[in-house]
Amino acid sequence: MKSYLSLIPISAKVHKRQNRMTLLCIVFAVFLVTAVFSMAEMGVRMEAGRLIGKHGSQALQSLFASTMAQTLFGAAAVLFLLILLAGVLMISSSMNSTVAQRTKFFGMMRCIGMSRQQIIRFVRLEALNWCKTAVPIGVLLGVAATWALCGVLRFLVGEEFSDMPLFGVSIIGIICGILLGVITVLIAARSPAKRAAKVSPVMAVAGNSATAKHTSRVPNARFLKIETALGIYHAVSGKKNLFLMTSSFALSIILFLSFSVMIDLVGYIMPQSANTADINIASSDGSNSIDPALLDQISDMAGVKRAFGRRSSLGVPAQVNAVASEIDVISYDDFDLECLVKDHQLRKGSDLAKVYGDNRSVLAVWDAQTPVSIGDQIQVAGETLEIAGLLKYNPFSEDGSTHRTVTLITSGETFARLTGVSEYSLIMVQTTSDATDENVEAIHNTVGNSYTFRDQRDQRTTSTYMAFLLFVYGFLAIITAVTVLNIMNSISMSVSARIKQYGAMRAVGMDTHQMTKMIASEAATYALSGCVVGCVVGLLLSKLLYDNLITTHFAYAVWTLPIVPLAVILLFVLAAAIAAVHTPAKRIRNMAVTDTINEL
């Protein structure tokens, strides 16, 4: 052996099984960063192709300074930091457990003359040795994932992604992936390297730090069974390990709650309404002048899924709670009213059933500037109407604000009774999925030139919305999967580090059921502390992001407790904790007492 560093590849082979999870963490981290930055660059390239087609090559000069490019790479940079943090916590936790199991090895190295600095260098180079395998695999997976996503966006989603480049290779993505892999490993190896350097030659005889340490206090079993108290004690006695394990649980919750805000943001930027029309037919002057027979005629045409209309009367004199005012009155057909429920546009306490048909109940648009409530009375056209429900925001304005104007939504029958008008000001048409340009042209010919005809099919945002959802949920799924695997691996390695203790406990009479309860209580301690920290920090960060990203631009948006995302991620954490107990408990049950005592 020329140098003690020659032991690194030998150690990698011997501890191949223990290092598997660490390698997987590096692979996933590099994969995610490579894919994220590559997709950001592909998006910029797609936009560059569009600009060149429209404005020529001079448009590229300002492309990378554009809002789109800054947004894409800014989001990628944030993800880089989050992945870096997740990778450091997971890899550091795994390496700490590995060092704990190899205390005897490092003690022997100290016995034959290796200095503390050499130990630190050994651990760091051993960690970097993993990068030789993990980083190339992560980069290749990231490039392959980018090609697959570009193909999905171009051929399956289509529309605005029809110019997405295929088989593009992002140098930025590859470099960022490599940098993240190396930086993550170096940061993560720092603490375990120092821990290994503290091992004294005396510990070579003891076998590991867990058995060499003597404590002045014992677990408090006054209120708990001894196996439960021991499990909790094992979890809280190692402060650094408790911090890393708690962080692993908490990080998944924080990431999940934070990224659920992105789902809401996309929903506000690109609202997906069930009553979104592909074709709008409006009167030229905004009056109620469209013959209802035209709506019936269009409804029966090929390529039409459904057609529905609206009537409007603006600046109508009225009394709102006995105060003279001018209001806007708009009629909704039954389908339009049903969509309010599908799109969750009604505030709590609204009773939509009262609004259907010819009646004296209406809906009103609400915001902080409009003083109306459910049950208020409004006098219009000599009749008294009651507000049966409120909309969360104004669907007729770009910013969702009422601008201090009371807007009522009535059924078609109620509007006709109040105003005596049966004609429409707007007809909205939704086409079938297989509608052709010829079908749309036939509708246009039927409408003629008497009204304004707008074909809005190319303004659909469903595909873009689904693409963003796919990206965010995919990212969360991968991060959650890696976190769950890390939790399972860390608890398993924690058990391995104390295997001699467990052997001694079995030798003095502790049965396998008690051993399982001890491991379960240790995992439950990690999970509970992680859930508390994750929920507190995650909810605070969720509200902070919501206020800065959404409420700032959409005044009607109000942050509410994300019950569904919180319940989902807590179930994942619970499942991870339960699954983490199974493998180490089974391993101990299957081992003879003599094997556990003699385990190094």
Side-chain angles (χ1 to χ4, degrees):
M1 186 185 299
K2 294 181 180 180
S3 168
Y4 70 95
L5 297 179
S6 302
L7 290 172
I8 291 177
I10 299 174
S11 176
K13 291 180 180 179
V14 173
H15 299 93
K16 185 176 181 180
R17 182 177 176 274
Q18 292 92 328
N19 295 336
R20 192 178 300 160
M21 184 60 205
T22 306
L23 288 169
L24 187 61
C25 290
I26 301 173
V27 168
F28 270 113
V30 175
F31 155 70
L32 284 173
V33 169
T34 302
V36 167
F37 276 89
S38 295
M39 285 303 298
E41 184 173 338
M42 294 306 111
V44 173
R45 289 186 188 180
M46 178 186 69
E47 187 65 18
R50 290 179 180 174
L51 291 175
I52 290 175
K54 290 183 178 180
H55 308 292
S57 59
Q58 66 271 17
L60 295 178
Q61 297 176 0
S62 59
L63 175 61
F64 283 90
S66 66
T67 302
M68 175 188 175
Q70 293 174 359
T71 300
L72 287 174
F73 285 108
V78 172
L79 292 178
F80 180 94
L81 295 176
L82 290 174
I83 297 169
L84 178 65
L85 175 61
V88 167
L89 289 173
M90 291 185 289
I91 296 170
S92 183
S93 176
S94 181
M95 290 183 66
N96 268 318
S97 298
T98 302
V99 169
Q101 293 180 68
R102 299 165 61 197
T103 304
K104 185 173 183 178
F105 168 79
F106 293 116
M108 291 176 63
M109 292 298 101
R110 294 294 310 280
C111 285
I112 62 176
M114 187 180 289
S115 67
R116 291 189 176 185
Q117 288 301 320
Q118 287 176 316
I119 292 285
I120 292 175
R121 186 183 181 194
F122 181 90
V123 174
R124 287 177 176 173
L125 291 177
E126 188 177 42
L128 286 175
N129 186 60
W130 299 332
C131 294
K132 293 195 302 185
T133 302
V135 170
I137 294 175
V139 168
L140 290 175
L141 288 176
V143 173
T146 302
W147 290 352
L149 286 172
C150 288
V152 169
L153 292 174
R154 181 166 179 171
F155 297 112
L156 297 183
V157 178
E159 298 182 10
E160 57 265 45
F161 296 103
S162 58
D163 296 326
M164 179 66 73
L166 296 176
F167 305 113
V169 176
S170 170
I171 301 301
I172 295 177
I174 293 175
I175 292 175
C176 289
I178 294 173
L179 286 176
L180 179 120
V182 175
I183 292 172
T184 300
V185 168
L186 288 176
I187 295 175
R190 183 172 181 175
S191 176
K194 289 183 177 180
R195 180 178 180 180
K198 293 179 181 178
V199 177
S200 65
V202 177
M203 289 185 181
V205 179
N208 59 50
S209 59
T211 58
K213 289 181 180 178
H214 298 280
T215 57
S216 59
R217 63 187 182 90
V218 296
N220 186 353
R222 183 182 303 174
F223 304 106
L224 300 171
K225 292 185 177 180
I226 185 62
E227 61 269 18
T228 303
L230 278 171
I232 296 174
Y233 176 74
H234 286 161
V236 301
S237 59
K239 303 301 181 183
K240 184 173 294 184
N241 186 62
L242 177 63
F243 170 77
L244 292 172
M245 291 298 298
T246 299
S247 300
S248 294
F249 278 97
L251 185 63
S252 61
I253 299 174
I254 294 169
L255 286 174
F256 203 94
L257 293 178
S258 299
F259 273 84
S260 66
V261 176
M262 304 304 295
I263 302 295
D264 294 334
L265 176 61
V266 174
Y268 281 102
I269 294 176
M270 294 177 287
Q272 304 300 301
S273 300
N275 60 354
T276 299
D278 297 310
I279 298 172
N280 277 347
I281 303 167
S283 59
S284 301
D285 57 359
S287 62
N288 300 299
S289 57
I290 302 178
D291 192 339
L294 180 61
L295 186 147
D296 297 331
Q297 184 179 357
I298 293 175
S299 298
D300 296 330
M301 295 183 68
V304 175
K305 183 178 181 179
R306 66 174 57 88
F308 50 99
R310 293 177 181 174
R311 306 174 180 91
S312 60
S313 184
L314 309 181
V316 178
Q319 285 191 333
V320 181
N321 293 327
V323 178
S325 178
E326 289 189 350
I327 64 172
D328 296 339
V329 183
I330 299 173
S331 77
Y332 270 28
D333 284 355
D334 288 352
F335 173 74
D336 243 350
L337 293 174
E338 293 168 2
C339 290
L340 295 176
V341 177
K342 294 179 182 178
D343 298 333
H344 307 287
Q345 292 189 33
L346 295 176
R347 290 176 61 84
K348 186 177 180 180
S350 300
D351 188 356
L352 184 63
K354 294 181 179 180
V355 182
Y356 290 101
D358 189 2
N359 56 70
R360 286 180 167 78
S361 295
V362 297
L363 301 175
V365 176
W366 177 92
D367 68 8
Q369 300 177 347
T370 306
V372 292
S373 304
I374 296 176
D376 285 356
Q377 305 289 320
I378 297 181
Q379 284 74 39
V380 181
E383 295 189 25
T384 300
L385 305 178
E386 180 182 352
I387 297 178
L390 298 173
L391 272 66
K392 295 178 180 178
Y393 61 92
N394 187 3
F396 312 111
S397 67
E398 293 183 357
D399 59 359
S401 174
T402 63
H403 301 291
R404 301 184 183 277
T405 299
V406 175
T407 302
L408 301 184
I409 295 177
T410 73
S411 66
E413 295 84 349
T414 301
F415 186 93
R417 188 190 74 246
L418 292 174
T419 63
V421 175
S422 59
E423 290 78 14
Y424 293 104
S425 60
L426 176 67
I427 290 179
M428 307 170 73
V429 180
Q430 292 183 339
T431 59
T432 58
S433 58
D434 58 351
T436 63
D437 291 338
E438 289 74 17
N439 296 143
V440 175
E441 186 61 29
I443 298 173
H444 193 180
N445 292 334
T446 301
V447 172
N449 298 321
S450 301
Y451 311 113
T452 302
F453 183 93
R454 294 191 182 92
D455 183 358
Q456 302 180 142
R457 290 176 297 165
D458 60 347
Q459 298 180 19
R460 294 173 180 166
T461 60
T462 304
S463 56
T464 305
Y465 178 78
M466 295 305 297
F468 273 103
L469 289 187
L470 178 65
F471 172 78
V472 176
Y473 280 124
F475 176 78
L476 287 175
I478 294 173
I479 285 293
T480 303
V482 174
T483 304
V484 169
L485 290 174
N486 174 65
I487 290 168
M488 295 173 61
N489 180 73
S490 297
I491 292 177
S492 178
M493 296 184 74
S494 177
V495 172
S496 297
R498 296 189 179 94
I499 198 69
K500 292 184 69 175
Q501 291 185 27
Y502 296 140
M505 292 175 188
R506 289 190 63 190
V508 297
M510 182 176 283
D511 59 33
T512 55
H513 178 68
Q514 289 176 307
M515 301 289 286
T516 301
K517 287 184 64 177
M518 183 169 59
I519 299 171
S521 61
E522 181 180 353
T525 303
Y526 295 139
L528 180 61
S529 59
C531 287
V532 171
V533 174
C535 288
V536 172
V537 178
L539 290 174
L540 290 175
L541 187 57
S542 172
K543 188 177 188 309
L544 179 65
L545 290 172
Y546 195 99
D547 290 342
N548 285 275
L549 296 177
I550 299 177
T551 306
T552 302
H553 305 286
F554 305 92
Y556 59 89
V558 179
W559 182 85
T560 57
L561 188 68
I563 296 176
V564 174
L566 188 60
V568 169
I569 191 58
L570 289 179
L571 285 176
F572 269 106
V573 169
L574 177 62
I578 294 174
V581 174
H582 176 73
T583 300
K586 182 179 178 181
R587 179 185 174 191
I588 291 177
R589 287 197 301 268
N590 293 337
M591 291 181 69
V593 176
T594 54
D595 292 335
T596 55
I597 293 176
N598 294 324
E599 183 74 26
L600 296 179

